[in-house]
Amino acid sequence: MPQAHRPTIIVGNWKMHKTIAEAKAFIKGLSPQVGNCSANVWLAVPFTAIQASAEEAHGTSIAIGAQNAHDQDEGPFTGEISCRMIKEAGATFVLLGHSERRHGFQESSAWVNKKVLRALQDGLRPIVCIGETLSQHQAGVAHEILDVQLTQSLNNLSDQDLKKVIIAYEPVWAIGTNQTATPQHAQEIHHFCRELIARHWNVAAADKMPILYGGSVKPDNAAALLDQPDIDGLLVGGCSLSLDSFTQIIHCQTSKSLNL
Ligand code: PGA
């Protein structure tokens, strides 16, 4: 499937790292690096740093987003935060259904679906994370798991909604483990996900949807992953915390960015 019409998006997921001051210093250092970068560079920062990060990134092409949000607009949900709140603070996108939320905080795909619908309603682009665990991977049921996660998380979305959705395939066994999926394996799964979208929704939506890979992305494996035809970008955890490694990743020269 041709991919030239899909943007390349490289997202840093800072997880529970960086204070406001650290976030601002990082973005100040990153800003001069993004001007000549062929990829779109996005940062999913802690809630507390959204506003300061958005202000620091103002005038650059760096987009700032959140790592989670609630499905309700407001209410008695102690410790939670709404899409409207993060949008007002300066977020333009939100990660939803990250495996650390699915497994650490028991977020089901049905709940992720409600969050996706709310994010779209409030004008945020959702990055919907899916991925199989190590035992599911070893049992050979990754396809079935991804089919269920994808169809349930994107249930009831209109064709218009689908145009704003980004998928991130993150095999749980590869997150923070140094065990990156091989580019060939990641490509096979991304292609499978694209076929699922074509089958459950339509071919046009599948063709346009950016599908990112995440899980132990590093400067030395980023280019090979991005060179795969169905890998449209990267979701980078650990290596997005250091300016040096993240800069290397956003500048990795691929045949895609060179238009070969
Ligand atoms: P990692 O994390 O790059 O540290 O494996 C990726 C993620 O959890 O989004």
Side-chain angles (χ1 to χ4, degrees), residues 42-43 50 54 62-66 86-87 89-94 119 123-126:
W42 296 8
L43 291 173
I50 293 174
I62 302 168
I64 302 298
I86 58 173
K87 173 115 195 275
T92 57
F93 72 93
V94 59
L124 292 166
R125 286 195 77 175

Side-chain angles (χ1 to χ4, degrees), residues 13 15 98 100 170 174-177 214-217 235-239:
N13 173 14
K15 309 192 179 186
H98 187 281
E100 286 155 14
E170 296 203 298
I175 296 178
T177 58
S216 295
V217 172
L235 182 51
V236 188
C239 282

Side-chain angles (χ1 to χ4, degrees), residues 207-220:
D207 191 36
K208 292 209 178 74
M209 188 167 299
I211 306 181
L212 319 183
Y213 169 82
S216 295
V217 172
K218 302 188 214 60
D220 63 5

